Structure formats: structure tokens, C-alpha cells
Amino acid sequence: MSWLVDFVKSSIGAKVVMGVTGVMLIGFVIMHMVGNLQVFLGPETLNAYGKMLHDLGGLLWVARFGLIGAVVLHIASGLRLASLNKAARPVRYVHETTVQASFASRYMKMSGIVVLAFVVYHLLHFTLGGATPDHTGLTTQLADGTEVKDIYKMVVLGFQQPAVSAAYIIAMVLLGLHLNHGATSLFQSLGLRNAKYNTLIDKVGPALSIFVVVGNCSMPIAILTGAVGLVGGH
């Protein structure tokens, strides 16, 4: 196992870990967003989706812990790369050469840590109920009479709180900044860049960033503006 530890600690190894965990996290972000966007389809659809996830049982918790592990490894690899780069160039330039560096690339560490904090809060809010315990026990019935957790109502009540919606939107903007740079750079981390496709690859990050930010922010905005709300006031 020592060879694996040495590889992960190396510059190439850290890049591979960042790339692989980046792909995993992007996949989760997209699937999570698509699932949550079902709030626009109404209580029956979103609550049925929530039941489907709940029925996964232990597998769902494996996925949750895997997600947190991937985020931690992603951040740790980023910090490792930053440390190796600093060690390779211990004397800083007289003039900081950040003119060509994008805002997103310069603040990757900050946005990554904020996103990790958000993931933990999100689990507390909608999964464990620690942030809003009054919402955790909400239940409803599906069309077939099955009693399930009222995920739809939890989401609406949560996002009706301006502070919660504002925090969510800020986190999504930071996630977008992270994706803007990270989704493109992971191709380089995994050695997948090709001169023939570099122009297209460079557009992946910005396109994915816009897609995720618009999709995720549409939910709290729709709820705050009343476009999406509780059916019949309940």
C-alpha cells in the first residue's frame, strides 16, 4: 500500500485524484439537480422520488458518505498540489502573475471549502433534520395511499425563509465558479486534453457552470416569488 500512498502524495497522483473525484462530484451535482428540479412537477412527483431514494436504504447512506469522502479527497488533493507548487517555487515573484488567472481559478480552495460546508448543512437540513427539526416529521400520502415523508413541503418551507434561500444561492454561485475552472481543468488532470478538441474542452466548464447555477437557483427563486408553493396552502 505504501506505493499507493506515495503515488497519491505525488504531483501526478494528486492530479489524478482531483480529476477522478471531480468527475464523481460533477455526476452527483447533475443528478442531484435533476432530482430536485422535480419540485416544479408538484408534490406527488417529488415525494415519489424521495420515497424511491429512501427505499435504497443502506445504499443511500453509502452514497452520502462516498460523496463526503470524494469532497474531502478533492479538497485535500487540491491543497496538496498547492503545497507542491509552492515548494517548487518558494520565492514569490516581485509582481504577482495573476493577470491571466481567472477569478475562479484563484479562489478554487475557498469555493471548494464553502461547497463542502454547504454539503454538510444540506444533509443536516433535508436529511437529518438538524437545521429545521420541525420539518423532519412532515408526512403525506401518495396517490396510492402510501405514507411518505413530505419532501415537497420541506423544500418549500425551507426556501420560503429568505436567509436559507440566500445561503443556497450564494453556495450555488460559488459552486458555479468552482465548476467554471474545475470542469475544464480535470481534462488536463486526467491527461485527456487534445489539441484537436481544446477549444471545445475550454467551453465545458463555463457551459456546465451556467447550467448548474441556473438550474439550482431557479428553485429557491421560484419559491420565494410564489411561483412554486404549497398546494391548497398545506
Side-chain angles (χ1 to χ4, degrees):
M1 289 294 292
S2 61
W3 68 268
L4 180 60
V5 174
D6 291 339
F7 175 72
V8 171
K9 286 183 177 180
S10 69
S11 177
I12 295 177
K15 287 180 180 179
V16 170
V17 172
M18 276 204 75
V20 172
T21 54
V23 172
M24 293 170 60
L25 294 173
I26 288 173
F28 166 78
V29 165
I30 294 174
M31 289 189 295
H32 188 65
M33 183 183 72
V34 171
N36 287 345
L37 284 173
Q38 294 181 71
V39 72
F40 288 104
L41 300 178
E44 180 75 14
T45 301
L46 185 61
N47 289 332
Y49 172 71
K51 180 182 183 301
M52 182 272 291
L53 292 179
H54 183 267
D55 288 345
L56 293 176
L59 288 177
L60 183 57
W61 279 105
V62 170
R64 286 167 178 161
F65 285 119
L67 167 66
I68 294 176
V71 174
V72 171
L73 284 174
H74 194 72
I75 293 175
S77 297
L79 294 175
R80 177 61 178 167
L81 282 173
S83 176
L84 291 173
N85 291 337
K86 185 176 181 180
R89 194 185 64 197
V91 180
R92 297 181 65 178
Y93 294 138
V94 175
H95 299 289
E96 192 72 40
T97 56
T98 57
V99 176
Q100 295 181 347
S102 67
F103 177 88
S105 65
R106 281 181 278 155
Y107 292 92
M108 286 291 281
K109 286 188 292 183
M110 179 192 74
S111 59
I113 293 172
V114 170
V115 171
L116 172 60
F118 172 77
V119 168
V120 173
Y121 172 79
H122 194 63
L123 288 175
L124 285 173
H125 187 188
F126 292 110
T127 303
L128 301 177
T132 52
D134 293 342
H135 299 173
T136 307
L138 295 173
T139 60
T140 188
Q141 288 187 342
L142 298 178
D144 62 3
T146 304
E147 186 170 356
V148 297
K149 291 184 67 173
D150 198 340
I151 305 298
Y152 181 89
K153 192 171 185 177
M154 289 172 61
V155 171
V156 172
L157 290 177
F159 283 141
Q160 280 180 344
Q161 302 176 50
V164 172
S165 285
Y168 186 88
I169 290 170
I170 290 171
M172 290 305 102
V173 170
L174 287 172
L175 175 60
L177 287 172
H178 199 84
L179 289 172
N180 183 61
H181 176 75
T184 297
S185 63
L186 69 83
F187 284 90
Q188 182 171 345
S189 298
L190 296 175
L192 299 176
R193 287 191 71 89
N194 185 302
K196 184 178 180 180
Y197 302 107
N198 280 349
T199 301
L200 180 61
I201 289 173
D202 289 337
K203 295 178 181 179
V204 171
L208 182 61
S209 174
I210 294 172
F211 175 65
V212 168
V213 172
V214 171
N216 280 324
C217 290
S218 67
M219 291 176 283
I221 291 174
I223 291 171
L224 281 176
T225 58
V228 171
L230 300 179
V231 178
H234 299 287

